[in-house]
Amino acid sequence: MGKNKMIKLINILKEIGEKSYSFQDTNQEYSEVDNSLLAVDYKFDTPNYPYKVSFYSGEYNPEDKKFDLSFGVDRGEFSRLDTFQMTGEGNAMAILTTVGEIIKDFLYQYEDEGAETIIINPTDEKRRRIYQMLLPTLPDNIKNKVILK
């Protein structure tokens, strides 16, 4: 890795954890069959966009205690979550830090309801690199519960 790339990476990593946006969990869904937790949505706003972070267990058996994570620009109640758009706001580290804080909150808040593992399956290689930067910043007890596919 060249010296300039290394310096840029070090500067990016320094920014992680310095700033995050306030967030709230806005929606919880439970199974009608066994009342197990199916999904939780969190929302936060940057100066330019609303974002949503979703945890969804519907692809797994309740006993697996696994949730898929997706996040992106929130296009509204009747639109799909835009997990592809890179907004170019210039605040990627604050957004990334906020997603990390949300992961921690979700695992702590919903642990008794079966949240033990988070599966992240990035939509593209750029997002994969973003998640790879996030994971080392998480505390070990949280990092060990997050699987990047």
Side-chain angles (χ1 to χ4, degrees):
M1 181 179 290
K3 185 176 179 180
N4 287 339
K5 286 185 180 181
M6 181 62 84
I7 290 171
K8 185 175 181 180
L9 178 60
I10 289 170
N11 289 337
I12 287 171
L13 291 174
K14 283 181 187 176
E15 290 179 37
I16 293 177
E18 291 182 2
K19 176 184 175 187
S20 66
Y21 296 102
S22 61
F23 60 86
Q24 62 184 39
D25 62 339
T26 59
N27 183 43
Q28 301 87 26
E29 291 181 35
Y30 293 87
S31 169
E32 292 178 11
V33 175
D34 62 4
N35 206 33
S36 62
L37 184 65
L38 290 177
V40 176
D41 292 333
Y42 284 78
K43 292 189 179 186
F44 67 95
D45 293 320
T46 66
N48 299 317
Y49 294 97
Y51 284 84
K52 182 163 61 172
V53 179
S54 294
F55 298 92
Y56 179 66
S57 70
E59 300 297 320
Y60 306 101
N61 294 320
E63 61 271 10
D64 291 340
K65 301 180 180 183
K66 294 180 181 178
F67 289 78
D68 286 318
L69 177 145
S70 57
F71 91 95
V73 175
D74 186 2
R75 298 286 181 205
E77 186 177 342
F78 300 108
S79 299
R80 287 183 49 147
L81 184 62
D82 187 347
T83 59
F84 290 94
Q85 180 176 349
M86 298 299 238
T87 61
E89 289 183 88
N91 56 357
M93 293 304 105
I95 292 170
L96 189 61
T97 300
T98 306
V99 172
E101 292 298 317
I102 289 171
I103 289 171
K104 288 188 275 187
D105 185 83
F106 173 74
L107 287 171
Y108 290 139
Q109 186 169 336
Y110 294 98
E111 181 178 32
D112 291 342
E113 296 187 56
E116 288 185 4
T117 305
I118 295 174
I119 309 293
I120 301 174
N121 194 359
T123 52
D124 59 31
E125 195 54 39
K126 193 168 187 177
R127 291 258 175 164
R128 173 175 301 289
R129 287 192 303 272
I130 289 170
Y131 285 118
Q132 286 172 329
M133 288 183 350
L134 169 66
L135 292 179
T137 69
L138 297 173
D140 287 340
N141 65 325
I142 299 295
K143 185 182 347 180
N144 295 335
K145 297 178 179 185
V146 179
I147 298 169
L148 180 62
K149 288 200 169 193

